[in-house]
Amino acid sequence: MSILSAQSPDAIQKAIDCLKNGDLVAFPTETVYGLGADARNGHAVAKIFEAKGRPSFNPLILHFADESRIAAYAEMTDQARLLATHFWPGPMTLVLDRKDNCPASDLVSAGLPTIAVRIPAHPTAQKLLETFGAPIAAPSANKSEEISPTSPAHVQHSLGDAVPLILAGGSCKIGLESTIIDMTGSKPVILRPGSITAEDLHTALGEDIGSAENLSDKPLAPGMMKKHYAPSIPLRMNAIDLQPGEALLAFGSDKFMGIKGGGAAKDLPDSMRCNLSERADLYEAAANLFAMMRMLDHTDHTGIAVMEIPDKGIGIAMNDRLRRASA
Ligand code: TXA
Ligand code: MG
């Protein structure tokens, strides 16, 4: 496996050679790192499922350089176009009806009549997609059920030699996976919350957005199993104190956090205490979430206690991921 700085002169060309060859390339997006393959090459797409240990009924997101290229693959509705104008390139994925002669491998949509599409904003992702000239199918670049990677080191740690090339572009700015919106029903439904919130979508569309949680007649995104994003030790939300042996994932001031049986959070060693955002900024916290969950995920700790994250804005998506990690 090799890790190439995305800035180095021949990095993009090497990545294109890999993709053309039917091999996998991990690349940065503004949300999390993706594990990419040529979406038209079924053999290459199959390698994604193999590398991740992912059930093949879990479909992938198609990444495009720009909107004009989507038409051959998926049905862009008027509402989808409106959302595209507001939020692409960016951290938004739309689930659309798959076109009859869609050139993508059937494996990408795992046999569903729909297909998920996204235009990422990260300059390296843009450059890669633009130069490749065709869509790249990519899930997050981690083993199935693990925490999504927000740095090249996470990808390397999770996938090792299963990925021949990692394009390294630093830490991901947003740090949470894209908002997924199902556009195939009578009204748009959020399948996975993200940094683009229901309010943002409401403002853009001028109509209410459904949430998959209170919806019984539609399946969730198949990959949104209750247990997901899981560290190897128990994770506890809304903690107001610590059990002995627990590591602390703080948000805002942790001065008042005590340890049951004696002691205070501030006496914990650095290896047991991370703060998502000392100034209680939700965006800073979201960008740190997965990396800090990884840092505290150590079998020396009896668990991870997470302080309360306000359930508003991007905090809704953070709590969604934390709930799954604690399931
Ligand atoms: O930010 C992101 O979305 C990242 C970057 C790399 O783009 N990608 C990502 O992919 O998080 P992944 O595979 O880890 O999560 C994609 C989710 C899965 O839960 C999958 O089930 C769902 O999207 N999905 C894909 N196609 C779908 C479809 N046709 N209908 C419903 N859900 C779909
Ligand atoms: Mg994933």
Side-chain angles (χ1 to χ4, degrees):
M1 186 240 301
S2 51
I3 304 184
L4 277 183
S5 160
Q7 307 303 330
S8 77
D10 58 345
I12 297 289
Q13 196 47 51
K14 286 226 167 85
I16 301 289
D17 293 345
C18 267
L19 291 170
K20 284 193 173 150
N21 210 14
D23 286 324
L24 306 181
V25 175
F27 63 97
T29 84
E30 68 277 26
T31 57
V32 300
Y33 273 74
L35 179 63
D38 179 348
R40 304 158 304 175
N41 179 340
H43 192 79
V45 175
K47 286 187 187 168
I48 293 180
F49 289 95
E50 188 186 303
K52 281 182 69 82
R54 181 181 188 133
S56 53
F57 51 78
N58 192 2
L60 307 173
I61 298 173
L62 278 197
H63 297 74
F64 290 85
D66 63 71
E67 200 186 322
S68 66
R69 305 187 207 220
I70 296 178
Y73 291 77
E75 211 69 66
M76 282 289 280
T77 60
D78 288 344
Q79 275 193 324
R81 266 184 222 104
L82 192 55
L83 289 182
T85 324
H86 276 86
F87 302 113
W88 274 343
M92 175 179 79
T93 296
L94 298 180
V95 173
L96 303 168
D97 284 321
R98 190 181 158 116
K99 276 272 176 75
D100 281 344
N101 291 319
C102 173
S105 154
D106 284 335
L107 260 185
V108 168
S109 32
L112 294 172
T114 56
I115 197 154
V117 300
R118 174 175 172 220
I119 300 176
H122 193 291
T124 302
Q126 272 285 331
K127 186 94 186 288
L128 183 67
L129 288 161
E130 183 65 45
T131 316
F132 188 52
I136 296 177
S140 51
N142 53 281
K143 289 262 191 214
S144 199
E145 295 207 345
E146 276 182 10
I147 302 168
S148 291
T150 55
S151 76
H154 295 162
V155 180
Q156 181 184 22
H157 186 253
S158 185
L159 295 174
D161 282 333
V163 51
L165 175 63
I166 301 175
L167 279 182
S171 292
C172 302
K173 228 162 133 183
I174 295 177
L176 280 184
E177 306 88 343
S178 60
T179 305
I180 304 181
I181 309 145
D182 183 354
M183 303 300 291
T184 64
S186 54
K187 72 174 189 177
V189 172
I190 296 183
L191 299 181
R192 179 175 70 185
S195 61
I196 294 174
T197 64
E199 282 137 54
D200 297 334
L201 298 169
H202 178 100
T203 307
L205 290 176
E207 82 162 275
D208 268 354
I209 307 298
S211 156
E213 262 141 53
N214 39 41
L215 221 90
S216 51
D217 58 334
K218 270 231 148 184
L220 293 179
M224 295 298 282
M225 300 127 185
K226 193 151 184 255
K227 185 174 164 69
H228 206 158
Y229 312 105
S232 62
I233 53 175
L235 182 141
R236 189 163 69 83
M237 295 173 69
N238 303 319
I240 49 169
D241 55 16
L242 290 163
Q243 300 289 338
E246 261 185 340
L248 170 66
L249 186 54
F251 176 79
S253 170
D254 64 2
K255 280 209 185 94
F256 59 89
M257 293 287 283
I259 304 173
K260 284 220 166 113
K266 64 174 172 30
D267 305 324
L268 290 173
D270 285 349
S271 63
M272 293 183 78
R273 183 181 175 219
C274 286
N275 200 321
L276 291 166
S277 170
E278 279 173 27
R279 55 197 168 101
D281 177 290
L282 281 171
Y283 284 93
E284 183 184 32
N288 283 329
L289 180 66
F290 290 152
M292 289 185 175
M293 277 167 74
R294 279 174 189 265
M295 281 190 252
L296 298 177
D297 184 6
H298 199 287
T299 46
D300 284 353
H301 309 152
T302 56
I304 303 173
V306 189
M307 285 170 65
E308 183 178 359
I309 312 285
D311 212 26
K312 56 171 204 246
I314 196 173
I316 296 173
M318 293 177 69
N319 282 321
D320 169 75
R321 307 306 191 271
L322 287 167
R323 260 193 303 278
R324 286 170 210 287
S326 65

